[in-house]
Amino acid sequence: MRYGKITATARYLPTKVVTNDALAQLMDTSDDWIQSRTGIKERRIAEAENTSDLCLKVAQQLIEKQTIAPETLDFVIVATMSADYTSPSVACQVQGALGAVNALAFDVTAACSGFVYALATAENFIRSGLTRGLVIGGEKISKLIDWQDRTTAVLFGDGAAGVLLEAAAKPSIIKQVLKADGTRGDSLTAGYRVTKTAFYQEANEKNKLAMNGRAIYDFALNDVTKCLKTFVGEETIDYYLFHQANERIIQKMARKLKEPIEKFPMNLANYGNTSAASIPILLDELVEAETIRLDGTQKVVFTGYGGGLTWGNLLLEL
Ligand code: B82
């Protein structure tokens, strides 16, 4: 039996920094309002670069770090809700540009849980015989934002990050749980594609990101926290890498889990909510800081939760 092991991490953030003060020039908001409710100070916004460009930058770094020839990759999986196209997938764009001619490629759409879903999927490919591949979370979420809506426009940012997953003899992803509740999908929506054909014209314009803050906040605190509590059980965890939705939410969840806040690293201040990219960006920063060492001695939980509704946990020995 073979198992997936994370052998490299990488991130790419677009260079344009947009501070809260800069947003306050565009809409009726303030640095104080944004920081006190969310913990966000600034976010990156991609201009000409699209989601596939951000993801390609990550992919190139991942293969360079381990001097992997692109032809030896067996899969490229991208978690995104802001793909350049419905087809081709971002993963295919990356596979093509990288020259990963032997890799299967597809996108996973599970909103902010996307990276957790994608990594669990990749693990199963390795367990069924593939040798190595890339798992990337990347979003140009700014193109889905309603820039007239000050309640959501301040929350999000663009970015991408990912991992190289390679076959190893010892398991690294120890446990997983993936969940969904489609009955509550309406509480967080984006990217509705309206029908305007010769036969039917639809008025619906739910293209921009819309969220029922109260409903998804309750979902995070109740369903996601309960699931994680059961998942962790009596295990001692070194770090919880949560989807970076909001500092207040993460603090509340930490308290409910009766774990010290130091176990919940955050980077919302710098990037805001980057959806499927938030967990791998955080992971790469922690690996760079040598807080997470990738030497198999630390127990780390990845927790994704978001649109769908979807949520999931992975327990890793990193
Ligand atoms: S909020 O609605 O303004 N609020 C809750 C009452 C204050 C904390 C809000 C804000 Br501001 C930012 C994020 C959320 C939220 O609940 N986010 C999520 C919850 C579950 C899953 C994903 C997210 C997400 O934002 O990605 C609420």
Side-chain angles (χ1 to χ4, degrees):
M1 189 71 183
R2 39 213 254 146
Y3 306 93
K5 178 173 171 51
I6 294 175
T7 55
T9 65
R11 67 182 184 279
Y12 177 77
L13 281 310
T15 52
K16 187 181 178 66
V17 175
V18 178
T19 62
N20 292 343
D21 284 333
L23 283 183
Q25 310 269 309
L26 304 175
M27 59 191 81
D28 185 10
T29 189
S30 71
D31 181 43
D32 184 59
W33 192 94
I34 299 171
Q35 276 204 52
S36 63
R37 273 168 190 77
T38 70
I40 301 166
K41 295 183 204 268
E42 57 188 42
R43 72 284 295 137
R44 304 298 182 90
I45 299 291
E47 296 175 287
E49 291 172 307
N50 211 332
T51 301
S52 63
D53 301 303
L54 309 183
C55 292
L56 179 60
K57 288 270 178 36
V58 172
Q60 283 163 337
Q61 290 182 64
L62 287 171
I63 63 168
E64 275 164 25
K65 282 188 177 184
Q66 292 294 100
T67 46
I68 300 286
E71 315 81 66
T72 68
L73 292 171
D74 297 320
F75 56 84
V76 175
I77 305 178
V78 172
T80 189
M81 58 183 278
S82 52
D84 303 16
Y85 299 96
T86 300
S87 184
S89 63
V90 175
C92 281
Q93 292 177 285
V94 170
Q95 188 257 23
L98 203 61
V101 293
N102 296 306
L104 65 87
F106 64 96
D107 289 353
V108 168
T109 300
C112 307
S113 310
F115 185 75
V116 166
Y117 266 67
L119 194 54
T121 304
E123 173 70 12
N124 289 334
F125 277 122
I126 292 201
R127 289 188 186 199
S128 57
L130 299 190
T131 300
R132 65 165 67 99
L134 307 180
V135 184
I136 297 170
E139 305 276 16
K140 185 179 186 177
I141 205 89
S142 59
K143 67 185 170 184
L144 291 170
I145 296 300
D146 178 356
W147 289 96
Q148 318 290 14
D149 176 6
R150 64 180 177 152
T151 66
T152 55
V154 301
L155 302 177
F156 295 89
D158 301 332
V163 302
L164 174 65
L165 196 71
E166 297 192 83
K170 188 170 130 313
S172 170
I173 299 178
I174 307 304
K175 208 159 81 150
Q176 68 170 64
V177 60
L178 302 177
K179 295 279 196 182
D181 179 2
T183 67
R184 289 185 283 171
D186 280 354
S187 53
L188 181 47
T189 60
Y192 187 81
R193 289 183 286 244
V194 73
T195 303
K196 285 208 194 314
T197 66
F199 315 101
Y200 187 76
Q201 310 274 320
E202 194 180 21
N204 203 332
E205 289 291 353
K206 286 191 293 189
N207 182 254
K208 296 301 179 193
L209 189 145
M211 65 187 225
N212 176 339
R214 191 72 234 180
I216 57 172
Y217 178 79
D218 289 345
F219 155 67
L221 289 190
N222 299 323
D223 307 68
V224 179
T225 312
K226 203 175 294 162
C227 175
L228 178 56
K229 210 168 185 154
T230 309
F231 179 77
V232 169
E234 298 305 309
E235 209 74 65
T236 303
I237 305 300
D238 293 292
Y239 293 105
Y240 293 87
L241 273 56
F242 274 22
H243 160 57
Q244 302 285 294
N246 181 311
E247 278 190 9
R248 309 294 158 253
I249 292 176
I250 297 175
Q251 287 158 347
K252 266 257 170 70
M253 289 168 89
R255 214 170 308 143
K256 282 201 161 189
L257 290 163
K258 301 195 173 66
E259 286 275 39
I261 196 67
E262 292 71 31
K263 288 190 180 184
F264 300 78
M266 293 184 234
N267 61 9
L268 273 141
N270 303 119
Y271 309 125
N273 177 347
T274 57
S275 184
S278 83
I279 294 173
I281 291 172
L282 188 60
L283 174 66
D284 184 53
E285 289 190 324
L286 293 165
V287 169
E288 190 175 84
E290 296 177 12
T291 307
I292 289 179
R293 296 182 299 267
L294 302 182
D295 62 359
T297 63
Q298 294 165 302
K299 283 206 170 74
V300 178
V301 170
F302 292 175
T303 298
Y305 49 98
L309 298 176
T310 55
W311 63 108
N313 304 300
L314 303 178
L315 172 60
L316 297 101
E317 262 170 22
L318 283 181

